[in-house]
Structures are given as C-alpha cells and as structure tokens.
C-alpha cells in the first residue's frame, strides 16, 4: 500500500494552483477513498482524521488492523525465496562451524555500517573471528577493490562477505576467487545482467530474482540471511549446547538502515521499523544510546529522528572522516568508548554541515545560471574541484529539492576523473540511466537505486554525460513535473491541533519514503512572527487562528528561499500554511508544532 496516485479530481485544494513553492495543492483522498475512510472509522472505531489518513494511503477496510499493527511473523518471507540464499546460508554455516575468519566488506553509509554490524554481531555471538573493512571514500571509493581484497586475505580471511556493495564488482571478486577466497554478496543495488564471480549473490534486485523484495535495504537482506543462517545452524545441531543469537534484538539496526537509506516503508519494511523503534527505545545498544544522547534526544526515538538526527551523524564518518567509525560505534559494548565515538561523529557532522553549506550555495548558483539559459532543463548537473567528495550526494539532494528535478553533483579530481552523486524525483529512475551510461562507455563505474545513484566519469566527458542523461530522462522528468502536486490530507486550526491527534496519527506510522507523513493545511492563519533561527537557515513561525489560538512552526532550510520569503513577507497577514505535525517535548512539556512544508496566499 502506497501513497495514492494523482487524484481523480484535479481541482486545486482551497483553490491553490501555485503555492510559494510553485506547486498545485490537491486533496489526497478522492471521493472513493473518502467513502473508504468513513467505513474504516465506523468498522474499527477510529478517529475520522486517522481513517482519512489510512484511506489516502490505499489501506482498505479489511487491511486496517494488519496495517496498524504490522507483525513481523505475519510479514516475514521464507529467506530462501531470494535467489542464491540457500547457497549463501550453507557457506556461512560452514564458516561458523569451522570458526573460519570472515572478512566483511561494507559500504561507508548508514546502511553499510548497519549491515556490517549485523553480520559481525551475529558472528561474535557464535565466537567466530571476523574482520570489517569499510573503504575510504576518497582513496578507495565505493565497493570492493583489489588491494583491499588482497589485504584481507593476508590478514587470514577465509570467507569474504560484501554487504551493501559487490553486485557489480567483477574485477575485485575475480581476484578473491584467484586468491582462494569464497565470496558472498549481500546487496540490494540495481544489478547488471552479468553478475560477478561469487559463490552467491543475494540481491532482490538482481534480474533473475523473483522474491518481490526489491524494496529492502541491504540491512534487510542481511537480516534475512541471518535468519537463513540461524536455521541452517539449528539443523546442524550447532545450538545444542549454546544459546542462539537474539536476532530480534538486532532489529534496531535494520530499522535505522531502512529509514536512513530511504527505501519504501511498505510491507516488511514497516514491520522492521516499527519493531526496531520499540527495541531502540530500550537503549540496550550502547553505541546507539550514546549517539542519541549526543544528538540531544532524551525521549523515545521516532522514525524521523533516525533520518535527520542519527543517520547524518553515522554518515559523517564516511563522508569526511574515518569511514569505520559508524560500525565501531554500533558494535561497541564499552560505554566510555561509545561516548568518545559518538562525540567524534557529532563533531564530524558539524564540520560536514559547514562544508555542505558552502558547496550547496555554489551548486545553486550554477543551477540558476543553467536554468536561466534553459528553463525547462530536465536534469541539473553541477561540478567543482573544490567540493569534498563526501558531500556531493548532499549537494545533489539539496539541488533536487530546490529545483524539483533530478540533479547530479560532481567533484573534479586531480587525476582527471569526476566523482558524482545523483538524486531523483518520483517517477524518474536514476539508477538505471547510470548503469546505461556505464554500459555505453560514458561512465567509468556507477550504479544505485531508482532515487539515488553514484557515478564516476572522465571530467572531459561531463557534457556528454549530461546530454546522455537528459536524452534518457527528459520524458519521465516531464511527466513527473506535470504531476508535481502537493497532496493534502486535511485542514486543521491552531486550536484543533492537539497532542491527542498526533498520538492517533502515530498509529499509522512509521512514516517515510513511500509512506508519507500526513500533511495538514492551516487555512487563513495570520503570521504573527517569522524569524531566522539556528545556523542552518531555518525559519521559525508563530501562527494565530481566527479564534485567537496559536501554534508554532518551523520551515527547515527555508531562509532566503521561496518558502522562507513567503512566510516573512506575510507577517501580519493571513496565509494558508501546510505541513506535518510533531510533538515538541522540550523542557519536559508537550505541545504540538508544525513542520512547515509549503504556504500560499488565500485566493
């Protein structure tokens, strides 16, 4: 069940055909879903607003109970539905029984750190020696490399497992085979037709996989692999005289990776995140508890905390520091060491924010220049020799958000190559076009997902690469922009935005990719205050309804941007303000706050 597509009635909601961000507001629920919402409320005794949110996300009356209470045991597939899983589990079981040294090769993002930590934690519980190698983003780049494979072999590795990478690593895995290292790939990235030489490639997005689990992140794939491994070890009697590892306790890592990697929160992923958040609230994982404390989060973590507070700090190590810090923190059992690692990641994250701010400003200037010459440019490509390779993905993301079209950002390297990252918009498959560029000889290497991709090209091929992706994506970008509507769930007033409503809405969570947070419009609310706060260019706002009630809100990274300007220029005037609701628990109290996403002048 996903967000409903464009509504059957395209009449603008509240008459807003062009908002501050240039979007048409539309009602998420069409007439049919409105009827479903009424039936859900009556059948299950739910508040009308919650029923409407459920119906607007495609939930049927008979699916309501299962959607509100997703249970892992109901949604867990047989791991063997994944191609090559049986071979992978058998070889991993051999390694555990023989206590072979296992080399884990991960990626430098949150999903990679969580995936490596999941496998390492399981091996540690089984007293199996392991090595973890997370490549340096600058000196090694993404994925396995020949030198690292040789080093792991020299350190005594007898089995190589790549997590969140490896699907397209032909040369490094051929070297592993030459060295006598069996290789297992546990990944989720889009796969080429020809796979590397490995004992097993477990990837729901390989072209011959029929599992229907392509929405999993790598940590989800690793978790299913551990379920299969646990089953194989149980059948061999390995646990007759020892306790089985607690797989359920590791779901906090799966939840963190699922949210941070922005995979769709549907089906099994919803259950992973719901269960993982419950485990995380117990703060049993020393490293995560230290990071939550460092981020200033004393209450129960929610889905958005993982994406905006926890994830960026773990990513900071891989972006501009030691790429292995994330997995070290997640595996740490020493509170003192965990505190030190969390503090270092927090410092790196602050440094990353400063680096990112400068690069984003430069990229936006390049984009504005390009759009001034060609306003309908479907894909934005920016580049600089001054940008840190660790922030180009963030630069692409900010450019995509600002101009609402796919964006690539490249750093120009001294060796004549350009290393870039791309971010996409709904309906535009970036990963496949990057793979096509590799196949066409326009890119040295690259790959990714529908919404995000990484690529390396010759700097001299920048214009050819841009022309290639524009030609391939122009039609889908055009269709996406035609359907660039902003879906509204309902209207509220400042006085009606009570904590009880937010609590009711939380039952429909977790929210994220593919499961959007409910969006409410506060119509004809007067802007009492709008001021810039913090170092990130946020705008804090106070709204007053006609009956004199107030609600506070914040528009993140909006200062100097169209949304921030619309709010600031409307002080003293009425405005339609749209956003999502959260509970601010600062200082021990509870009050509802609006995270502002758009605004429009009343018609």
């Amino acid at each position: 069940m996903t967000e409903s597509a464009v509504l059957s009635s395209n009449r603008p909601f509240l008459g807003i055909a062009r908002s501050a961000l240039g979007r048409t507001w539309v009602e998420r629920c069409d007439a049919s879903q409105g009827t479903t919402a009424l039936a859900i409320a009556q059948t299950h005794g739910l508040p009308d607003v919650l029923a409407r949110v459920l119906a607007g996300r495609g939930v049927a009356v008979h699916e309501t109970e299962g959607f509100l209470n997703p249970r892992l045991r109901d949604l867990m597939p047989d791991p063997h539905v994944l191609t090559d899983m049986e071979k992978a589990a058998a070889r991993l079981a051999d390694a555990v029984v023989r206590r072979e040294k296992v080399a884990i090769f991960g990626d430098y993002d949150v999903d990679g750190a969580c995936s490596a930590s999941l496998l390492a934690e399981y091996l540690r519980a089984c007293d199996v020696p392991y090595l973890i190698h997370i490549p340096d983003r600058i000196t090694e780049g993404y994925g396995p490399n020949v030198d690292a494979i040789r080093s792991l072999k020299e350190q005594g590795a007898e089995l190589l497992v790549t997590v969140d990478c490896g699907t397209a690593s032909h040369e490094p895995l051929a070297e592993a085979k030459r060295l006598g290292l069996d290789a297992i790939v546990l990944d989720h990235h889009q796969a080429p037709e020809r796979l590397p030489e490995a004992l097993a490639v477990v990837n729901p997005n390989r072209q011959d996989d029929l599992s229907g689990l392509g929405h999993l992140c790598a940590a989800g794939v690793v978790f299913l692999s551990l379920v299969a491994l646990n089953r194989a070890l149980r059948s061999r009697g390995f646990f007759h005289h020892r306790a089985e590892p607690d797989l359920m306790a590791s779901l906090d890592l799966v939840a963190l990776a699922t949210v941070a990697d922005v995979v769709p929160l549907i089906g099994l992923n919803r259950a992973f995140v719901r269960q993982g958040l419950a485990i995380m609230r117990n703060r049993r994982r020393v490293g995560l508890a230290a990071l939550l404390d460092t981020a200033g989060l004393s209450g129960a973590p929610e889905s958005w905390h993982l994406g905006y507070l926890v994830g960026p700090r773990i990513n900071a190590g891989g972006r501009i520091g030691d790429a292995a810090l994330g997995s070290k923190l997640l595996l740490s059992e020493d509170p003192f060491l965990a505190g030190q690692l969390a503090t270092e990641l927090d410092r790196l994250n602050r440094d990353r924010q400063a680096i990112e701010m400068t690069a984003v400003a430069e990229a936006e200037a390049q984009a504005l220049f390009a759009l001034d010459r060609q306003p309908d440019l479907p894909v934005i490509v920016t580049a600089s020799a001054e940008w840190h390779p660790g922030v180009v993905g963030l630069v692409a993301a900010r450019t995509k958000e600002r101009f609402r079209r796919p964006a690539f950002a490249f750093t120009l390297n001294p060796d004549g190559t350009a290393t870039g990252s791309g971010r996409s918009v709904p309906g535009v498959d970036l990963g496949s076009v990057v793979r096509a560029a590799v196949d066409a000889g326009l890119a040295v290497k690259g790959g990714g997902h529908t919404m995000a991709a990484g690529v390396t090209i010759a700097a001299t091929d920048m214009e050819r690469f841009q022309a290639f992706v524009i030609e391939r994506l122009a039609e889908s970008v055009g269709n996406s922009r035609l359907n660039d509507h902003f879906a509204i769930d309902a209207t509220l007033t400042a006085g009606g935005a009570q904590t009880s409503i937010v609590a009711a809405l939380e039952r429909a969570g977790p929210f994220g990719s593919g499961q959007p947070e409910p969006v409410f419009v506060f119509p004809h609310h007067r802007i009492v205050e709008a001021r810039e706060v913090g170092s990130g260019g946020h705008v804090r706002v106070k709204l007053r309804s006609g009956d004199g009630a107030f609600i506070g809100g914040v528009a993140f990274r909006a200062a100097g941007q169209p949304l921030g300007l619309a709010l600031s220029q409307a002080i003293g005037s009425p405005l339609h303000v749209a956003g999502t609701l959260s509970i601010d628990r600062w200082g021990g109290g509870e009050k509802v706050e609006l995270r502002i996403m758009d605004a429009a002048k009343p018609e």
Side-chain angles (χ1 to χ4, degrees):
M1 286 156 285
T2 60
E3 179 180 4
S4 55
V6 179
L7 314 168
S8 59
S9 169
N10 285 323
R11 289 175 300 186
F13 187 70
L14 295 179
I16 303 304
R18 187 173 178 80
S19 69
L21 294 179
R23 297 183 290 190
T24 300
W25 289 3
V26 293
E27 193 169 10
R28 193 186 302 275
C29 271
D30 59 22
S32 173
Q33 290 171 324
T35 302
T36 300
L38 182 60
I40 288 175
Q42 293 176 343
T43 303
H44 297 279
L46 299 177
D48 291 343
V49 66
L50 175 57
R52 192 167 184 80
V53 165
L54 294 172
R57 283 148 186 77
V59 180
V61 177
H62 69 279
E63 296 170 326
T64 301
E65 179 60 32
F67 187 86
L68 292 176
N69 300 292
R71 297 189 302 181
L72 205 55
R73 65 182 181 185
D74 296 334
L75 295 167
M76 269 288 290
D78 182 337
H80 288 172
V81 300
L82 286 155
T83 302
D84 274 4
M85 178 63 85
E86 196 164 357
K87 287 192 290 185
R91 182 61 184 90
L92 282 166
D94 289 342
V96 171
V97 171
R98 299 170 189 161
R99 286 185 167 75
E100 297 175 336
K101 183 176 285 189
V102 178
I104 304 169
F105 197 109
D107 188 16
Y108 36 60
D109 66 0
V110 175
D111 195 13
C114 290
S115 297
S117 300
L118 277 166
L119 180 54
E121 187 171 64
Y122 188 95
L123 295 174
R124 183 169 66 187
C126 294
D127 296 323
V128 176
Y130 64 86
L131 303 164
I132 294 180
H133 182 82
I134 307 294
D136 182 272
R137 185 186 292 263
I138 298 176
T139 61
E140 295 179 80
Y142 169 78
N145 60 82
V146 169
D147 288 342
I149 299 299
R150 290 171 179 166
S151 174
L152 291 169
K153 176 65 176 178
E154 290 170 1
Q155 294 176 67
E158 298 170 85
L159 172 65
L160 170 69
V161 183
T162 71
V163 294
D164 199 26
C165 59
T167 296
S169 301
H170 295 276
E171 184 183 357
L173 295 189
E175 178 67 9
K177 184 177 181 179
R178 190 189 70 78
L179 294 172
L181 266 178
D182 284 339
I184 295 172
V185 175
L186 304 179
D187 197 8
H188 73 131
H189 292 93
Q190 290 182 352
E193 185 175 350
R194 184 174 72 88
L195 296 173
E197 293 184 88
L199 178 74
V201 178
V202 181
N203 182 339
N205 286 307
R206 56 183 282 179
Q207 296 181 27
D208 60 347
D209 186 279
L210 303 176
S211 66
L213 296 170
H215 56 285
L216 296 182
C217 67
V221 174
V222 172
F223 182 82
L224 292 184
S225 302
L226 294 178
V227 172
L229 169 58
N230 208 65
R231 180 191 297 173
L233 290 173
R234 192 183 299 139
S235 70
R236 298 188 190 191
F238 184 76
F239 299 116
H240 282 172
H241 302 292
R242 64 184 305 142
E244 294 186 14
D246 186 357
L247 282 174
M248 294 298 288
S250 64
L251 284 173
D252 55 350
L253 297 181
V254 182
L256 173 57
T258 298
V259 173
D261 218 50
V262 202
V263 293
L265 292 187
I266 58 176
L268 182 59
N269 282 343
R270 287 193 74 244
F272 278 155
V273 175
R274 179 73 72 88
Q275 184 67 36
L277 283 170
I279 291 167
M280 204 177 296
R281 287 168 190 141
N282 296 326
R283 293 181 175 248
R284 290 190 298 180
R285 187 174 300 277
V286 173
L288 266 184
L291 199 59
L292 291 172
D293 289 341
T294 302
L297 183 61
S298 57
E302 300 172 23
S303 181
W304 72 272
H305 291 134
L306 306 187
Y308 290 98
L309 295 180
V310 180
R313 285 171 168 80
I314 293 178
N315 267 335
R319 291 194 185 281
I320 63 171
D322 179 354
L325 287 177
S327 58
K328 288 178 181 177
L329 174 72
L330 296 175
L331 286 167
S332 177
E333 296 177 307
D334 179 349
F336 180 74
L337 175 60
Q340 289 183 315
L341 292 171
T343 298
E344 175 63 6
L345 285 170
D346 186 63
R347 182 190 67 79
L348 288 169
N349 189 52
R350 291 195 301 274
D351 291 347
R352 184 272 305 169
Q353 289 171 330
I355 294 169
E356 176 193 343
M357 190 177 301
T358 301
V360 167
E362 293 173 356
E364 289 184 348
Q366 291 183 29
L368 286 168
F369 179 76
L371 290 170
D372 184 59
R373 298 171 61 191
Q374 187 180 344
D376 60 349
L377 187 67
V379 181
I380 294 172
V381 177
T382 59
S384 172
E386 303 301 319
W387 297 344
H388 192 290
V391 302
V392 290
L394 299 171
V395 172
R398 300 291 176 257
T399 307
K400 180 264 297 185
E401 290 170 7
R402 168 80 187 274
F403 300 103
R404 303 203 312 281
R405 65 197 76 194
F408 283 90
F410 285 89
T411 183
L412 304 176
N413 302 316
D415 64 359
T417 62
T419 304
S421 190
R423 296 295 183 269
S424 194
V425 294
V428 181
D429 188 346
L430 219 56
S432 64
V433 79
V434 166
R435 289 302 313 163
V438 173
D439 294 340
L442 276 173
V444 178
K445 63 177 181 178
H449 318 290
T450 299
M451 299 296 287
V455 63
T456 300
I457 64 175
T460 53
D461 283 338
M462 187 73 68
E463 290 187 6
R464 291 179 62 214
F465 175 79
Q466 182 172 15
F468 181 86
V469 297
I470 285 175
E471 180 185 0
R472 294 294 185 101
L473 297 179
E475 183 178 354
S476 58
V477 171
N479 292 334
S480 176
R481 290 182 65 78
L482 281 175
N483 296 321
D484 188 15
H485 296 141
F486 186 49
I488 307 296
D489 285 280
T491 59
L492 274 178
T493 66
Q498 301 295 316
T499 56
S500 58
I501 287 182
V502 181
L505 293 172
E506 286 176 352
R507 296 185 61 191
F511 300 109
S513 175
Q515 176 67 9
E517 282 196 75
V519 175
F520 297 94
V521 171
F522 290 74
H524 295 283
H525 279 53
R526 195 168 297 277
I527 306 297
V528 177
E529 178 183 287
R531 57 188 173 87
E532 186 174 347
V533 296
S535 59
H538 312 313
V539 177
R540 182 162 290 283
V541 174
K542 181 180 286 188
L543 310 175
R544 186 178 68 205
S545 62
D547 61 3
F550 291 91
I551 184 172
V554 60
F556 291 104
R557 295 191 300 272
Q561 303 297 325
L563 178 55
L565 294 173
L567 294 168
S568 300
Q569 292 168 2
I571 292 177
S573 302
L575 201 66
H576 296 331
V577 181
T580 61
L581 302 177
S582 64
I583 296 179
D584 180 4
R585 295 184 172 88
W586 182 259
E590 284 193 351
K591 63 179 179 180
V592 176
E593 184 171 80
L594 181 65
R595 293 201 293 271
I596 300 171
M597 302 172 71
D598 205 350
K601 291 181 179 180
E603 292 293 314

